[in-house]
Amino acid sequence: VQLQASGGGLVQAGGSLRLSCAASRRTLSNYVMGWFRQTPGREREFLAGIRWRSESAWYEDPVLGRFTISRDSAENTLYLQMNNLKLEDTATYYCAASKTYGLRSMKGWDLWGQGTLVTVSS
């Protein structure tokens, strides 16, 4: 599976942005997909994950209620809808794939897309 993230850009605080992650594999039903972000000098931070088959999702507290992870199986694409963006959301965002549900760190995520930069301005 190859992952291609896109959709980053510059947005004002309080605004919204939707990230996409296109997957090359035709069938993702056995995978769990997730979104992470990273700022310089810090470890990559888990944000949200979703089981492809059931759409069962889980989130980290900093984004719970503001970000929504979803997927479109017909398009083989993962999304992250980000609302009410804050300055501290500025980071490079990454999508990832795993065979394990419920992971909350980088460990166990086998495949990574390239990052897409999100900059939130005041």
Side-chain angles (χ1 to χ4, degrees):
V1 179
Q2 289 186 326
L3 305 176
Q4 180 80 26
S6 62
L10 177 65
V11 62
Q12 285 193 320
S16 298
L17 206 59
R18 189 177 77 160
L19 305 182
S20 300
C21 175
S24 62
R25 189 183 179 99
R26 186 177 295 275
T27 302
L28 293 168
S29 59
N30 294 326
Y31 283 87
V32 171
M33 305 291 291
W35 286 99
F36 289 73
R37 67 186 177 192
Q38 189 172 25
T39 54
R42 300 191 67 177
E43 187 171 298
R44 202 165 290 186
E45 173 190 19
F46 171 78
L47 301 176
I50 186 168
R51 190 190 299 275
W52 193 269
R53 182 180 297 169
S54 67
E55 298 186 85
S56 175
W58 72 105
Y59 297 87
E60 283 295 276
D61 286 345
V63 303
L64 185 63
R66 296 191 301 124
F67 291 9
T68 301
I69 189 171
S70 64
R71 60 90 171 127
D72 183 330
S73 59
E75 297 292 328
N76 265 13
T77 302
L78 176 74
Y79 298 104
L80 186 67
Q81 177 67 42
M82 305 186 294
N83 298 329
N84 190 22
L85 282 160
K86 304 176 181 180
L87 297 179
E88 54 264 39
D89 294 319
T90 295
T92 299
Y93 285 69
Y94 298 87
C95 56
S98 174
K99 291 294 187 69
T100 305
Y101 182 85
L103 300 173
R104 292 185 181 270
S105 71
M106 289 181 64
K107 186 177 180 181
W109 295 88
D110 307 310
L111 300 166
W112 292 87
Q114 91 295 352
T116 185
L117 179 62
V118 173
T119 303
V120 183
S121 65
S122 59

